[in-house]
């Protein structure tokens, strides 16, 4: 008579805990892996909690690590005080944590017989994540370097300045991505991208050098009490340009044409003020701004001129200022 054999399949449960429970860092060293443990009443619950814990770790650690790394890069750059002011991390880098978590692996869940709890570890290999992210980092680096090299080759100072400011913006985006790559793997990031920070560090000096070498001469067609001249000069100073009194010493002529067209409507003076500002470099016009200002209705001509000039100066200090700063890639108040 054949003996009857019976086999039972037990879940992964034993009195001896696996090594990853006893000493996780030995099995999944932090320099090579991201990991998080989960516990629950079932194997599936433990696995889900491990994934949740790893996701939370990413969302909190990515932000803090990126901020720290980004500021470290800026602090190590020349002119870091200006860069730090204009390039604070604002969350503009689109880092998709959920995409990263698609490559998560799990240990086999283990049940603690004493506590009756299940344990599971979620983990991701740093190198794998870095290689997934590296094409995006490389594209950002290439975009930054492209504008940097274009700026270096540009001959006209205004265009050179515009391209350098675009390169600065692209550089800030690159540094944010570089900071995330550093979080994933500092070793791989440093090996391939450590030298790419150097061009970014030269930008503030290059930008200010162009401004220093090209002061502006401001000429106004119509004014009252130097109000228009003062408004334009203030904008130039805010942008880092010196304003000179002698046209021969200027790199740019700034021609400000103020129009005060008017007509009589019964006993009322109706003015339609407008302003045009033109930047003239050595080779001709490089920038033109024009704006119709608010209509002015008054009973006396002298008051009409005064109100018009006030309207023009308001436009110059606000809309013109933001327009020029935007063209030159400078930070304006309504930008993040």
């Amino acid at each position: 008579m054949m003996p009857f054999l019976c086999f039972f399949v037990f879940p992964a449960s034993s009195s001896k805990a696996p090594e990853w429970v006893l000493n996780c860092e030995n099995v999944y060293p932090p320099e090579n892996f991201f990991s998080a443990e989960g516990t629950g009443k079932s194997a599936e619950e433990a696995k889900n909690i491990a994934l949740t814990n790893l996701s939370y770790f990413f969302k909190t650690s990515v932000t803090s690590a990126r901020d720290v790394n980004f500021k470290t890069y800026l602090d190590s750059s020349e002119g870091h005080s200006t860069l730090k002011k204009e390039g604070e991390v604002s969350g503009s880098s689109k880092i998709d944590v959920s995409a990263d978590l698609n490559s998560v692996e799990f240990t086999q869940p283990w049940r603690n017989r004493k506590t009756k709890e299940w344990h599971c570890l979620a983990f991701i290999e740093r190198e794998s994540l870095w290689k997934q992210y590296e094409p995006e980092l490389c594209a950002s680096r290439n975009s930054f370097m492209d504008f940097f090299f274009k700026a270096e080759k540009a001959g006209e100072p205004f265009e050179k300045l515009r391209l350098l400011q675009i390169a600065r913006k692209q550089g800030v985006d690159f540094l944010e991505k570089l900071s995330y790559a550093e979080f994933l793997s500092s070793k791989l990031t440093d090996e391939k991208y450590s030298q790419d920070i150097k061009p970014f560090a030269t930008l503030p000096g290059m930008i200010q050098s162009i401004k220093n070498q090209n002061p502006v001469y401001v000429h106004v067609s119509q004014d009252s009490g130097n109000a228009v001249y003062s408004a334009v000069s203030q904008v130039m100073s805010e942008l880092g340009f010196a304003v000179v009194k002698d046209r021969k010493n200027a790199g740019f002529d700034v021609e400000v044409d103020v129009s005060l067209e008017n007509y009589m409507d019964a006993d009322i003076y109706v003015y339609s003020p407008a302003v045009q500002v033109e930047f003239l470099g050595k080779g001709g016009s490089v920038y033109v701004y024009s704006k119709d200002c608010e209509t002015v209705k008054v009973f006396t001509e002298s008051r009409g001129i005064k109100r018009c000039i006030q309207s023009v100066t308001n436009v110059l200090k606000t809309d013109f200022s933001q327009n020029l700063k935007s063209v030159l890639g400078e930070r304006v108040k309504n930008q993040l």
Side-chain angles (χ1 to χ4, degrees):
M1 181 177 179
M2 295 289 294
F4 178 75
L5 300 178
C6 182
F7 295 93
F8 294 93
V9 178
F10 293 96
S13 175
S14 67
S15 57
K16 184 179 180 180
E19 185 64 24
W20 59 263
V21 174
L22 299 174
N23 198 332
C24 179
E25 292 189 0
N26 280 353
V27 184
Y28 300 98
E31 62 270 22
N32 297 327
F33 294 90
F34 296 109
S35 63
E37 186 178 355
T39 59
K41 295 179 180 179
S42 67
E44 189 64 23
E45 184 181 23
K47 181 178 178 180
N48 289 336
I49 291 175
L51 180 61
T52 299
N53 290 342
L54 187 61
S55 176
Y56 178 76
F57 164 77
F58 257 74
K59 288 176 182 178
T60 55
S61 297
V62 164
T63 301
S64 60
R66 188 189 61 183
D67 289 5
V68 170
N69 290 339
F70 182 67
K71 290 178 181 178
T72 300
Y73 287 137
L74 295 185
D75 287 343
S76 65
S77 302
E78 293 177 10
H80 64 275
S81 58
T82 301
L83 289 168
K84 195 167 184 180
K85 178 181 178 183
E86 297 185 348
E88 289 291 347
V89 174
S90 59
S92 58
S93 281
K94 304 301 182 184
I95 295 173
D96 188 355
V97 173
S98 61
D100 292 334
L101 296 180
N102 287 334
S103 57
V104 172
E105 296 181 68
F106 298 89
T107 59
Q108 182 179 354
W110 171 78
R111 182 174 181 268
N112 187 322
R113 291 179 178 178
K114 291 182 179 180
T115 63
K116 298 182 180 181
E117 285 187 321
W118 284 86
H119 295 253
C120 184
L121 190 78
F123 63 93
I124 315 177
E125 189 178 12
R126 284 178 178 267
E127 183 175 350
S128 174
L129 281 180
W130 190 91
K131 287 180 178 178
Q132 290 178 42
Y133 185 68
E134 201 264 342
E136 185 176 341
L137 175 63
C138 183
S140 180
R141 186 269 308 274
N142 291 345
S143 179
F144 160 60
M145 295 303 296
D146 182 49
F147 279 105
F148 183 81
F149 290 137
K150 284 180 180 178
E152 283 192 319
K153 293 177 182 178
E156 204 290 312
F158 193 91
E159 178 65 5
K160 191 180 189 75
L161 190 60
R162 187 185 72 83
L163 289 170
L164 283 174
Q165 292 286 15
I166 295 175
R168 180 189 64 81
K169 283 188 174 182
Q170 295 295 324
V172 168
D173 179 73
F174 169 55
L175 287 194
E176 287 189 348
K177 288 180 169 58
L178 194 68
S179 301
Y180 180 56
E182 182 84 11
F183 165 72
L184 296 179
S185 174
S186 58
K187 179 178 178 292
L188 293 173
T189 303
D190 292 343
E191 284 177 356
K192 193 167 182 179
Y193 292 95
S194 61
Q195 297 303 310
D196 295 320
I197 304 172
K198 292 181 179 179
F200 184 81
T202 66
L203 286 174
M206 293 174 70
I207 291 169
Q208 192 55 52
S209 177
I210 294 172
K211 294 177 179 179
N212 292 343
Q213 294 169 18
N214 293 275
V216 299
Y217 172 80
V218 179
H219 175 259
V220 181
S221 63
Q222 295 187 69
D223 207 344
S224 177
N226 271 346
V228 175
Y229 177 87
S230 297
V232 175
S233 297
Q234 179 183 329
V235 174
M236 296 301 106
S237 296
E238 289 174 355
L239 283 166
F241 289 101
V243 180
V244 295
K245 299 292 185 180
D246 191 340
R247 178 174 264 146
K248 293 184 296 184
N249 298 326
F252 296 112
D253 283 356
V254 179
E255 294 289 338
V256 185
D257 181 26
V258 178
S259 172
L260 304 179
E261 290 187 6
N262 65 88
Y263 63 90
M264 294 293 295
D265 183 7
D267 294 331
I268 298 176
Y269 289 90
V270 180
Y271 287 86
S272 300
V275 62
Q276 177 177 291
V277 182
E278 184 174 17
F279 259 70
L280 298 168
K282 303 299 183 185
S285 179
V286 293
Y287 166 83
V288 178
Y289 167 87
S290 59
K291 182 79 171 180
D292 293 330
C293 305
E294 186 177 352
T295 300
V296 173
K297 297 179 180 181
V298 291
F299 289 104
T300 63
E301 186 176 8
S302 59
R303 180 158 180 79
I305 293 174
K306 184 177 180 180
R307 288 270 303 277
C308 285
I309 294 297
Q310 184 179 12
S311 179
V312 168
T313 57
N314 288 340
V315 165
L316 291 170
K317 290 178 180 179
T318 54
D319 190 69
F320 164 67
S321 175
Q322 292 201 4
N323 182 272
L324 182 56
K325 289 176 181 178
S326 178
V327 168
L328 290 177
E330 299 279 354
R331 187 179 177 88
V332 296
K333 289 182 178 179
N334 61 351
Q335 289 179 336
L336 293 178

